[in-house]
Amino acid sequence: MLQRTLTGLPKITLQKPQHECGIFGVYFPGEDVSRLTFYGLYALQHRGQESVGIAVSKNAKIKAHKKMGFVREFFDQDITRLKGDIAVGHTRYSNTGGSSLINAQPAIYGNIAIAENGNLVNPEALRRKLAKFGYHPSYDKNGKCSSDGELIAQAIHSQKGDGIVEKIKNAAARDLKGAYSLTILADNALIGVKDPLGFWPLCLGKLNNKGYALASESCALDVIGAKYLRELEPGEVLTIDKNGTRSHFLPNTPKRQSARCSFDINYFLRPDSLLATGARAYEVREKLGQVLARKNRLDADVVIEIPNSGQFGAIGYAQASGIPLKVGFIKNSYIGRTFISPDQRIRQLGVKLKLNPIPRVIAGKKIILVDDSIVRGTSSRQITEQLFKIGAKEVHWRSTFPQVTNPCFFGIDIGTNDELISASKTPRQVAKELGATSVVFNTLEDFLEAVGLNPKTACTGCITGVYPINLPHRERNKFALEVAE
Ligand code: SF4
């Protein structure tokens, strides 16, 4: 993707799809809950790098601190100031609302603090409804808050009901349409919530028989020494307080249907995180690589991973095909998501800065490149060109995820139809567009079988165009709430 920057220089974005958040929560009276949350968020950094925040509660009084940037921006004194018995934390990628401190979470309204992962599909209508009851977005020098988190906190706060669980249930039934996992501080309790279809992960862990933690992924539980207990169920509202844990369910939870995000499993989960099936994400990705190799036999000299997204797929592919796996690129891990290229002539530098190919592994070889997905195709095209330039004989792309043909409305920044390379192309046409010898994607059926899901338990909207939630509108604009009244 080539855009103009404010300085007029072209800006190259080497983009993988972005997620929008990692959430965490801990109930552990008498312990340093803000520090535990800090370490938990560190392990969830891959889910969002734009802002970080922690809220703690002591005797139902909430205190919070938020910063722009990585989790490491939190200093020791920031953590030390946050004393409490319960905490929730958040790392953000802005899927709804701009990247500014006012949109950083946890969002706080009254005596409720919320860390949210996901996307509402009705935010404008909900804001208009809440405005009628006197709920308006908060403001700071950056403008008005436009994240879903505050909206959800206000929607819960506005409900009539006996206690926080009733209010959450009522808000979910009346107001919250979309995909969300939440960690909430309210009423001296830590509460975990999954939307009725359970799009996003949220798991429960136990600390030393006294405390509990909730996290987007089990890797965050591992880091703080919590024992993984289980994944929350779709529609579950789990309260954790002095009486222990108790499960409730949202009234609009369907009986035999859920919509776990397929893409999250394929790409976003840290490889060492657990799925609800008990498998680790890396095991599933290896299997996806094996399926690709078995179903599409091809003679080649070498299998190469696209670091690091294709790592385990490539391992699986090499295992099943018997073709040697080699390191074909050196990755510069210190590069952010975007950077500026001074002119068109050196656009290729962009890819090279991030991934520098090793000529000896590539020259004169038939190469199989394995990646988790080919979504926009921007960097795949540039990589293909580079490899042929340094003497590759053939370049075959293999994607563990099926063709992405439609946008996501539930929390992953995949892009619009115009940006998706597969929106209207066959794999053969995608290969032509990339300048590659061939491109093969796993089929939807093979993918679901390998990850342990089926069409009744997975969201496959971006693959099939059939979404598990009725969408009020299909225009995707993450800044919609910044203009809505
Ligand atoms: S549309 Fe795709 S990316 Fe979005 S939730 Fe569904 S499977 Fe995940």
Side-chain angles (χ1 to χ4, degrees):
M1 177 190 293
L2 189 68
Q3 303 164 332
R4 288 275 148 191
T5 64
L6 286 177
T7 57
L9 297 173
K11 174 176 156 184
I12 297 173
T13 310
L14 293 180
Q15 257 188 349
K16 296 295 287 182
Q18 299 301 317
H19 209 290
E20 93 287 16
C21 299
I23 60 173
F24 191 82
V26 60
Y27 179 93
F28 206 175
E31 297 294 328
D32 191 349
V33 290
S34 56
R35 199 167 301 273
L36 288 169
T37 304
F38 170 79
Y39 288 122
L41 292 178
Y42 233 115
L44 298 173
Q45 186 74 87
H46 57 287
R47 294 185 78 85
Q49 299 95 36
E50 289 185 7
S51 64
V52 52
I54 296 176
V56 295
S57 147
K58 180 101 187 152
N59 301 325
K61 282 210 172 62
I62 293 173
K63 214 168 151 184
H65 189 66
K66 306 176 204 179
K67 278 190 162 173
M68 294 305 291
F70 285 76
V71 178
R72 62 172 180 250
E73 300 301 328
F74 252 67
F75 298 131
D76 199 57
Q77 61 265 32
D78 299 325
I79 300 166
T80 312
R81 271 199 291 267
L82 292 171
K83 297 233 178 295
D85 295 326
I86 322 170
V88 291
H90 192 265
T91 58
R92 178 168 192 256
Y93 170 76
S94 57
N95 197 45
T96 300
S99 181
S100 64
L101 197 57
I102 188 75
N103 288 328
Q105 294 190 34
I108 298 172
Y109 198 87
N111 57 353
I112 301 171
I114 289 189
E116 181 229 7
N117 171 204
N119 228 30
L120 295 180
V121 297
N122 63 334
E124 299 96 324
L126 180 55
R127 174 163 282 174
R128 282 193 295 272
K129 179 178 172 185
L130 287 167
K132 287 187 195 149
F133 297 101
Y135 290 89
H136 299 286
S138 48
Y139 285 83
D140 72 1
K141 62 178 171 23
N142 298 309
K144 67 180 174 185
C145 178
S146 55
S147 83
D148 281 357
E150 183 177 73
L151 217 48
I152 295 174
Q154 291 178 340
I156 293 172
H157 191 271
S158 71
Q159 305 296 321
K160 290 195 172 51
D162 195 10
I164 186 70
V165 172
E166 278 313 300
K167 289 186 176 194
I168 292 169
K169 283 183 178 179
N170 289 341
R174 292 170 189 153
D175 293 331
L176 308 180
K177 309 273 174 267
Y180 52 87
S181 278
L182 313 171
T183 53
I184 302 178
L185 274 187
D187 289 0
N188 282 320
L190 170 66
I191 303 156
V193 182
K194 261 195 189 181
D195 70 75
L197 290 172
F199 280 83
W200 304 119
L202 185 59
C203 58
L204 172 69
K206 189 152 196 197
L207 279 148
N208 294 347
N209 293 325
K210 278 195 330 204
Y212 288 93
L214 292 166
S216 290
E217 297 185 29
S218 66
C219 62
L221 301 178
D222 294 342
V223 163
I224 61 158
K227 182 175 182 279
Y228 173 87
L229 296 181
R230 67 180 175 90
E231 185 67 27
L232 267 63
E233 299 288 328
E236 184 170 355
V237 180
L238 179 78
T239 57
I240 305 169
D241 60 18
K242 62 179 176 359
N243 300 315
T245 64
R246 196 158 164 222
S247 283
H248 315 257
F249 282 86
L250 298 175
N252 43 346
T253 306
K255 276 224 163 50
R256 274 176 284 278
Q257 198 205 340
S258 53
R260 180 75 175 88
C261 169
S262 313
F263 201 85
D264 188 71
I265 294 170
N266 180 66
Y267 172 61
F268 283 105
L269 287 188
R270 220 172 77 162
D272 52 341
S273 283
L274 281 162
L275 306 180
T277 55
R280 302 257 172 204
Y282 74 85
E283 294 171 310
V284 163
R285 291 172 193 166
E286 273 185 21
K287 211 163 156 188
L288 287 166
Q290 290 166 0
V291 175
L292 262 177
R294 285 199 195 105
K295 295 266 172 121
N296 307 277
R297 298 246 170 233
L298 178 74
D299 258 349
D301 300 311
V302 62
V303 176
I304 292 175
E305 65 155 298
I306 298 298
N308 300 325
S309 46
Q311 184 179 23
F312 292 100
I315 292 171
Y317 194 103
Q319 284 165 352
S321 65
I323 300 169
L325 175 68
K326 295 219 169 142
V327 175
F329 297 95
I330 300 300
K331 182 180 175 182
N332 184 338
S333 311
Y334 303 98
I335 279 194
R337 283 194 301 117
T338 62
F339 55 90
I340 293 168
S341 165
D343 70 45
Q344 193 92 355
R345 187 174 49 85
I346 57 169
R347 277 179 65 188
Q348 279 292 344
L349 241 182
V351 176
K352 276 191 166 178
L353 263 175
K354 191 167 184 179
L355 294 181
N356 199 21
I358 301 175
R360 199 168 59 82
V361 179
I362 286 152
K365 305 274 177 31
K366 287 184 183 177
I367 294 161
I368 294 174
L369 289 178
V370 184
D371 205 353
D372 67 296
S373 57
I374 301 169
V375 178
R376 301 182 200 212
T378 319
S379 34
S380 314
R381 193 178 303 121
Q382 293 172 349
I383 289 169
T384 308
E385 201 181 315
Q386 260 188 35
L387 297 191
F388 277 125
K389 217 177 252 174
I390 58 178
K393 217 193 273 171
E394 292 176 12
V395 177
H396 302 270
W397 283 87
R398 297 295 180 262
S399 162
T400 55
F401 199 65
Q403 282 190 279
V404 174
T405 56
N406 285 275
C408 173
F409 300 90
F410 309 120
I412 291 193
D413 200 355
I414 279 176
T416 59
N417 277 92
D418 295 346
E419 294 165 329
L420 301 173
I421 194 166
S422 287
S424 56
K425 289 189 178 64
T426 62
R428 193 185 286 259
Q429 290 167 326
V430 172
K432 196 163 173 219
E433 178 86 18
L434 298 183
T437 317
S438 76
V439 176
V440 173
F441 299 85
N442 258 327
T443 64
L444 177 59
E445 295 69 29
D446 287 343
F447 175 84
L448 290 178
E449 198 187 323
V451 300
L453 293 171
N454 65 59
K456 284 204 151 90
T457 57
C459 174
T460 58
C462 56
I463 306 165
T464 60
V466 179
Y467 297 96
I469 293 181
N470 282 335
L471 299 165
H473 55 75
R474 290 181 61 131
E475 298 82 42
R476 185 179 171 281
N477 180 0
K478 74 187 230 176
F479 301 110
L481 276 180
E482 279 162 22
V483 289
E485 287 307 314

